Amino acid sequence: MRSVQNLLSELAYLGRSIQYLEDVLTDIEEVGGRLGRRDPVTPLLEGMVEGETIQWSSAMKGHLDATTRVAETWRSQMEALE
């Protein structure tokens, strides 16, 4: 079925996108590790890391929660076709 091939293609693309996101998050984790080993860790650096973490993790959580809800709806719609 052509539609199933399209479904599988879209899922493969989404899977690659998720893998890329995991790679980027790993990079951020590595930067955080390097920052944590700096000597001395100044209060300014501490505050900057905290600010960036709050800003960006909050934005990502909102997007991830929304994306998960979309995926769950998609799954339900597909299951309804069975």
Side-chain angles (χ1 to χ4, degrees):
M1 252 169 89
R2 189 187 65 194
S3 59
V4 171
Q5 288 302 317
N6 185 45
L7 170 68
L8 297 176
S9 176
E10 291 296 328
L11 290 172
Y13 171 81
L14 294 169
R16 289 189 302 273
S17 295
I18 291 167
Q19 181 58 56
Y20 178 71
L21 173 59
E22 289 177 344
D23 293 345
V24 171
L25 293 175
T26 298
D27 293 345
I28 295 167
E29 182 178 22
E30 290 171 0
V31 171
R34 290 192 302 271
L35 288 170
R37 290 190 297 275
R38 287 179 84 171
D39 190 31
V41 175
T42 65
L44 176 61
L45 177 61
E46 189 76 33
M48 291 174 70
V49 169
E50 187 69 19
E52 294 294 327
T53 300
I54 291 169
Q55 176 183 352
W56 297 111
S57 66
S58 176
M60 288 198 63
K61 286 175 187 176
H63 288 289
L64 289 171
D65 290 345
T67 300
T68 299
R69 286 191 301 276
V70 169
E72 289 170 342
T73 301
W74 186 10
R75 177 184 62 197
S76 294
Q77 293 298 108
M78 294 299 292
E79 289 172 345
L81 297 174
E82 287 186 297

